Each structure stands twice: as structure tokens, then as C-alpha cells.
């Protein structure tokens, strides 16, 4: 289920891109607002491709 709320991304120490709401992303340090959306899996959709 994708969302229309503003989304924020951060990179974890192991290099994985995480997509969350601002409050959760801020708990992990540096984060930026993004136009990416999350797919049914909860992972970001990048250039039309999501993780299944």
C-alpha cells in the first residue's frame, strides 16, 4: 500500500536506503525529504522498480 504523506530517506550504516516518516527518519541522523514512494513491500520504488 503506497502512501501520499511526505516521505524521508536515510542510509543505514550498512548502505541500505530506508524510507520513513520524518519522525522515524530523524531518529537515525541525517535524512532528506524525497518524492520516492513505497510499494506494497514497504521498500522504496525507484525508477518504477520496487523490491518484491
Amino acid at each position: 500500500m503506497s502512501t501520499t504523506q511526505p516521505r524521508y530517506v536515510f542510509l543505514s550504516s550498512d548502505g541500505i536506503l530506508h524510507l520513513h516518516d520524518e519522525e522515524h527518519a530523524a531518529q537515525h541522523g541525517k535524512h532528506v525529504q524525497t518524492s520516492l514512494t513505497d510499494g506494497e513491500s514497504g521498500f522504496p520504488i525507484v525508477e518504477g522498480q520496487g523490491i518484491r
Side-chain angles (χ1 to χ4, degrees), residues 2-45:
S2 56
T3 180
T4 57
Q5 295 178 334
R7 305 301 279 167
Y8 295 80
V9 295
F10 67 91
L11 277 177
S12 61
S13 59
D14 53 359
I16 297 174
L17 181 70
H18 296 269
L19 184 63
H20 290 283
D21 59 49
E22 185 175 20
E23 181 180 346
H24 184 93
Q27 295 173 5
H28 296 276
K30 293 182 180 180
H31 62 284
V32 295
Q33 188 170 0
T34 182
S35 61
L36 292 175
T37 59
D38 48 341
E40 292 178 13
S41 65
F43 290 95
I45 298 173

